[in-house]
Amino acid sequence: MDQTLIDKLTRPLRSRTPVKAAREVDPLTLSTVWHGLQRICREMRRVIERTSQSYLISQLKDISVGIWDGEGHTVAIPVGLATQFVGGKFSVRYILNEYRDNVYPGDIFLANDPYNGYSCHPPDWGFFRPIFHQGKVAFWTLARAHVEDTGAAFPGAYFSDPYDIHSEGILIPGVKVVEKGKEQRDILRLIWNNVRLAEGVKIDCYAMIAATEVAHNRLTELVGRYGIKTVQNCIAVMQQRTERAVRACIQKMNDGTYYGESSTDDDGYELDVPVTVRCEATIKGDKLTIDFSKSDKQRRGFINSSYPSTYSIAVAGAILFLDPALADYHNEGTMRALDIIAPEGLVVNAKYPAPMGGAPVNVGHNIIEAVMMAMSEALPGRAAAGWGRRYGQYIYGTNPRTGGLYVMPGYHAEGGAGAVAGYDGYQGAASIGTLGEISRPNTEDVEIKYPWKVISREFRMDSSGAGKWRGGPGFHWEVVNLGGEAGMHTGAGQGETTFSHGALGGKPTPPNTCHILRNGERIQAKVHRLHQLKPGDHIVKDSGGGGGVGRPEERDPQAVWDDVYINELVTLETAREIYKVVIDPATRQIDWDQTRSLRAGATAASLLNPV
C-alpha cells in the first residue's frame, strides 16, 4: 500500500464536520450508550463462539468484532485479536470506495484479501454489515474469524513456501455475499467450492453473519431508545475524551526517539536467514510516531505484512504503554494521537503479489515486540519483556474415526507472557499477537476431535526469561499419532534461532525446540517447513517462556525459593547460577551468606561491564 493511499484511508473519505460534543452531557446517558456499544461487541463474539463449529473459532476463540461509524471511524473495539480488527476502518473505507452509492440496508460484504479488502491474511474472513438510519449508513459492524481452510496449497493455510499470495487460497476482495437481505448464492457457492471442509466453513460463515444481525438489532434498539443525534453525540464525546487522555499520556513521556528491533527465524523460502523488523518510536509533545522505515525489504516467503496489519499491531503495542485505566475506552480518538509509518516494499508493507499467510504470527509478532522494546526504553518504569515465541503447527490428515480430512490447529506449546516492571509474566497466556485473547486447547477436547493422544502437557523447568521479575514459563508438550500418515507445517512458529527481548537487564525468551520421535530416531522438526508424519510418531515440543525484566540477581530470594519448591519452575542450579540464590538441598533453606556474596560479585561485575 503506497503512502498516498495510506494518507487517503487514514483520513475521512469525505469532508465532514465532526459532531460537536454538547456542553453538558448527561453522564448516565453517556455511560449507558458507551457501554451499550461495548456490550454489543461482546454479544457478537458470544454468538460466534456458541454457533460456530471449527475448533479454532468455537474453543480457541480466534474471533474479532467491532463497530465503526458510517465513514469508518472507530467506535467500539473491546475484544479480539489486534491484527484482525484494530485497523478495520481500512476495510470499511475500501468497501465504501468500491461500492459508493451501491450500499443498501441488508447488505453484507466478505473480505479476506490483504491487498483488496485489507484483511490481515487469507484465513481470516471478515463479514462487514452497514447499519442504516433514515436512509443513511450510520454504522458498520464487523465479525471476523479464522476459518479452517482457504483452499491453499496445503490444508490449514500456513504453508511456508508459497509461490505468491494466490498460493495461499481463495482471495475475496470485499464482495457482497448478501444484498438487501438476499443471499448471493452463486457467489457463496463459488467461494465454498474453493475451500476444503466446505460444510464446516459454511457453518462458521453463517455464525459470523448471525453476529452482524445481532449487532444490527441491538444498534437499532439503541438508536431507537436515545435517538441518532444523542448516540452520535455520545460517541463524539468519548472519542474526544479518549484523544485528550491519550495525548496527555504521551505528553508525560520524555521527548525523544527510541529504538527496538525483532527478528523471525526466516521467511520459509530462504531458510535460516533471519528477517528483522526495526522500529523507531518518536515522542514529540503529545504525538507518538512509530516508524518502521528501517525494516528489512519484503520477502518471497509467507511472513510479509500488509500496512493495515502493521498499523493494527503497532497501535496495539503502543496502547500497552498508556494508562491502564484507558483499557476499556480506546477508539478513533486513540488513533488520532498516533502516526504509523511503514513504507511500501518492506516486510511491514509488502507489495502485491507477496504472500502474507504468516503475517499475524510471524512478522506480526515481531512488529509488536519491536514496539514494546522501543517503548520500554522510553518508559523504563513500565518496561515490558517479550512473550514466549509463537510455536504453533497445523497437523492435517485423514481421521480414521470419520474417514474425513481433519486440520488440528496449534496454540498448544508456546510459552507465557513476558514480565512487566513490578510483575512476573502471566503463566499460560497464548501468543503475544493475540494479547491473551486466544484460549489454550483443552486436552480432552483435542483427543476427542483429533486422532492424537496427549502424553504430556506441563510447564517446562528453567524456561522463563530470568529477571527481577521473570517471564511466564514455557511448555513441554508431547503427543502421539493414533491415525494414519499426516502432514505438519510449522509456519505458525518461530523462536528456535531468534528470541524476543528482556528489559532493564532481564534475560530474553529462551529457545523453542521440536522433534519427531520415530522408531527410536529423534528427528528435528524446524519451523517454517513441511514435515511428513507416520502412524505412531510422537511430536515433542519444548518451548521457551516470556522474557524477564530487571537483573535476575535482584529478584527477591524468597520468590526464587518459591519457584524452586512451590512452583517447580526453577532448578537449584539456575537459582544459584542465574539468580545468585544459594539453597541447601538437604535443608531446603536459603544460605544467606553465600547468596549475599554471590550477589555482591554480580553487582560488581555489572558495574564494570554495564549492559
Side-chain angles (χ1 to χ4, degrees), residues 125 151 170 186-196 198:
W125 290 21
I170 187 169
D186 287 346
I187 294 176
L188 289 170
R189 286 181 61 236
L190 176 64
I191 291 170
W192 290 325
N193 191 59
N194 279 276
V195 299
R196 307 173 186 90

Side-chain angles (χ1 to χ4, degrees), residues 63-286:
I63 307 165
S64 296
V65 296
I67 300 171
W68 290 261
D69 71 12
E71 293 186 339
H73 301 93
T74 307
V75 172
I77 47 172
V79 289
L81 285 62
T83 187
Q84 287 183 345
F85 75 133
V86 171
K89 61 184 178 182
F90 293 99
S91 295
V92 169
R93 292 173 183 175
Y94 174 90
I95 293 168
L96 281 169
N97 189 58
E98 287 294 311
Y99 284 83
R100 298 184 183 275
D101 296 326
N102 191 25
V103 178
Y104 306 106
D107 286 356
I108 299 176
F109 302 82
L110 171 59
N112 83 325
D113 187 342
Y115 293 102
N116 299 295
Y118 306 140
S119 184
C120 46
H121 69 155
D124 284 332
W125 290 21
F127 289 83
F128 294 84
R129 184 183 192 123
I131 297 171
F132 282 72
H133 178 76
Q134 296 181 347
K136 295 182 178 180
V137 180
F139 301 102
W140 288 84
T141 187
L142 160 68
R144 176 175 274 151
H146 187 134
V147 299
E148 283 187 296
D149 187 74
T150 61
F154 290 88
Y158 271 123
F159 180 50
S160 53
D161 184 20
Y163 180 79
D164 58 18
I165 186 73
H166 296 281
S167 305
E168 298 181 327
I170 187 169
L171 301 175
I172 307 163
V175 300
K176 276 190 191 182
V177 292
V178 178
E179 183 171 30
K180 299 179 181 178
K182 184 179 179 180
E183 287 187 14
Q184 304 298 288
R185 292 188 180 275
D186 287 346
I187 294 176
L188 289 170
R189 286 181 61 236
L190 176 64
I191 291 170
W192 290 325
N193 191 59
N194 279 276
V195 299
R196 307 173 186 90
L197 303 166
E199 191 60 32
V201 171
K202 182 189 299 186
I203 294 170
D204 293 337
C205 288
Y206 282 129
M208 289 182 268
I209 290 171
T212 69
E213 178 72 16
V214 168
H216 170 268
N217 294 341
R218 298 293 183 264
L219 283 165
T220 300
E221 292 169 3
L222 189 70
V223 170
R225 182 178 303 121
Y226 293 100
I228 189 66
K229 290 185 178 180
T230 296
V231 172
Q232 289 178 333
N233 191 55
C234 288
I235 291 169
V237 169
M238 289 306 304
Q239 289 174 338
Q240 291 168 9
R241 287 186 178 185
T242 298
E243 181 177 0
R244 287 197 300 270
V246 169
R247 289 188 182 277
C249 286
I250 297 171
Q251 187 82 50
K252 294 177 183 177
M253 303 176 189
N254 292 326
D255 282 2
T257 297
Y258 306 92
Y259 182 77
E261 68 175 47
S262 177
S263 302
T264 189
D265 297 26
D266 55 50
D267 73 338
Y269 175 77
E270 189 177 6
L271 300 177
D272 302 319
V273 177
V275 180
T276 302
V277 172
R278 300 177 181 86
C279 166
E280 290 182 334
T282 299
I283 298 164
K284 186 174 182 180
D286 63 357

Side-chain angles (χ1 to χ4, degrees), residues 317-357:
I319 284 173
L320 296 177
F321 292 84
L322 302 177
D323 188 341
L326 298 177
D328 292 331
Y329 302 99
H330 291 293
N331 52 43
E332 191 69 26
T334 303
M335 301 175 197
R336 291 173 189 151
L338 306 174
D339 280 337
I340 311 299
I341 299 172
E344 191 177 33
L346 302 182
V347 71
V348 291
N349 184 7
K351 295 189 291 187
Y352 174 84
M356 294 189 180

Side-chain angles (χ1 to χ4, degrees), residues 495-566:
E496 292 175 347
T497 58
T498 60
F499 317 109
S500 188
H501 66 286
L504 306 181
K507 301 295 184 182
T509 57
N512 296 328
T513 63
C514 178
H515 293 86
I516 299 168
L517 306 184
R518 179 183 300 154
N519 300 324
E521 185 181 5
R522 188 177 180 89
I523 305 164
Q524 187 177 10
K526 298 187 73 174
V527 295
H528 303 173
R529 291 158 173 83
L530 176 65
H531 305 278
Q532 297 301 320
L533 302 171
K534 303 291 185 182
D537 280 357
H538 288 233
I539 298 173
V540 179
K541 284 194 169 186
D542 288 297
S543 63
V549 172
R551 296 168 59 230
E553 57 269 24
E554 294 178 356
R555 184 168 177 79
D556 180 355
Q558 185 59 52
V560 176
W561 188 95
D562 289 347
D563 281 343
V564 172
Y565 289 111
I566 305 299

Side-chain angles (χ1 to χ4, degrees), residues 551 553 580 594-607:
R551 296 168 59 230
E553 57 269 24
K580 310 302 181 187
Q594 288 196 53
T595 295
R596 280 190 285 268
S597 177
L598 281 178
R599 291 193 160 193
T603 299
S606 68
L607 292 174

Side-chain angles (χ1 to χ4, degrees), residues 55 60 411-416 428-430 438-442 457 475:
Y55 192 73
L60 305 191
Y411 293 105
H412 299 90
E414 63 264 30
I438 288 286
S439 299
R440 292 277 184 177
N442 179 282
R457 185 182 180 213
F475 275 86

